[in-house]
Amino acid sequence: MTNRHDLEIFVDRLFANQRRTKEVVELKNEVLSNLEARVTDYMENGMNYQSAISLAIDNIEDIEFLIDDNQKIYSYRYRYDLVQSALIYSLLAWIASIPARILPSGIAVNGLLLCLVVLSGVVYLSMSRNLKVYEKQTAVINAGKLFKWSKAAWGLWGIFVIVVSAYSFAMQFGSDVWFGRELRIDGPYSFYVTVLQYAIPLTSIFIPLLIHKACKLTIKHEVNEQ
């Protein structure tokens, strides 16, 4: 008899960085069963338990080559929910950027977000009319690649916010830092404008949020063919 708990711990670690899709869960169970069978076979041939465990683990294949990232989803419902999320996120970002209209850059950002709200709203209403007709439409999507895009989007967004914030700081306080002068903000209005300069780039968070939502929707709209 093998100690299943030891093998379960190893398999859990092996799949720790994988998305919990139906295919991954099935593959995880298959790997665990194969390991148990190997260990049992090795022990029946005279090998001790620890050596059998080590040999079975050493011979396990790299799961990156076993996992198929292609996933079948209900494509129309997937796009419909994604457009709905885009509408909600852009609407919230537009509302949040309204106070920034006292700045020229704030007017531009607020106007751009309003255009996105209108565009996503028109697309959402158009898709709503055909939802029942195309709700069973399916397509195959590479969920693994989408997950990588989501991680990259968060990284790029963080870099963007840091660079823009550093540029704003340099433009406002660069000469004071260079000449060793005290950093000063003259009055509540000046403080308010300064805060807005750093807050405006944060409204772009809806972009990585939307890509992250796209990853989650692949699980929600996965086709279950059982």
Side-chain angles (χ1 to χ4, degrees):
M1 294 290 294
T2 63
N3 190 332
R4 184 183 177 90
H5 181 65
D6 290 340
L7 295 177
E8 285 178 342
I9 292 175
F10 169 75
V11 174
D12 285 342
R13 292 174 179 173
L14 189 66
F15 285 83
N17 296 323
Q18 302 301 324
R19 298 169 60 253
R20 191 175 176 81
T21 63
K22 178 169 65 68
E23 289 79 6
V24 170
V25 171
E26 291 175 353
L27 179 60
K28 183 177 177 180
N29 292 332
E30 182 181 344
V31 169
L32 179 59
S33 297
N34 288 339
L35 281 173
E36 287 182 309
R38 288 184 185 183
V39 172
T40 300
D41 184 59
Y42 294 152
M43 292 178 66
E44 288 177 351
N45 284 279
M47 190 175 292
N48 63 54
Y49 174 72
Q50 290 298 332
S51 297
I53 286 281
S54 299
L55 183 59
I57 290 176
D58 288 342
N59 290 334
I60 195 70
E61 296 180 64
D62 189 344
I63 61 170
E64 297 295 336
F65 295 101
L66 299 176
I67 294 176
D68 184 5
D69 287 328
N70 290 331
Q71 189 172 332
K72 191 176 182 180
I73 62 170
Y74 292 107
S75 56
Y76 195 89
R77 284 157 53 183
Y78 173 83
R79 294 196 301 270
Y80 176 78
D81 279 2
L82 191 58
V83 171
Q84 183 184 57
S85 297
L87 174 60
I88 294 172
Y89 292 156
S90 57
L91 180 61
L92 292 175
W94 173 70
I95 294 172
S97 66
I98 290 177
R101 290 185 62 85
I102 65 172
L103 300 174
S105 58
I107 294 175
V109 170
N110 185 252
L112 176 61
L113 289 172
L114 180 58
C115 291
L116 291 175
V117 170
V118 173
L119 178 61
S120 55
V122 170
V123 175
Y124 176 71
L125 291 176
S126 177
M127 294 186 71
S128 297
R129 298 173 60 184
N130 300 313
L131 181 59
K132 290 187 177 180
V133 178
Y134 298 110
E135 65 176 349
K136 296 300 182 181
Q137 190 178 75
T138 62
V140 176
I141 190 171
N142 192 310
K145 184 177 294 186
L146 191 59
F147 179 73
K148 292 178 182 178
W149 287 353
S150 176
K151 294 177 64 176
W154 281 110
L156 291 173
W157 178 77
I159 293 172
F160 168 75
V161 170
I162 292 172
V163 170
V164 173
S165 298
Y167 175 79
S168 298
F169 181 86
M171 292 297 294
Q172 185 174 5
F173 301 112
S175 59
D176 293 333
V177 173
W178 180 263
F179 293 107
R181 296 194 295 260
E182 181 182 359
L183 303 183
R184 296 181 56 187
I185 297 177
D186 301 321
Y189 177 79
S190 179
F191 175 78
Y192 180 65
V193 170
T194 300
V195 170
L196 286 179
Q197 289 178 342
Y198 294 99
I200 289 175
L202 296 178
T203 59
S204 62
I205 194 173
F206 78 92
I207 297 175
L209 278 175
L210 188 59
I211 299 176
H212 178 71
K213 184 68 173 182
C215 292
K216 295 177 67 175
L217 288 176
T218 59
I219 299 176
K220 177 182 177 181
H221 295 297
E222 182 180 8
V223 177
N224 190 346
E225 298 178 333
Q226 290 185 343

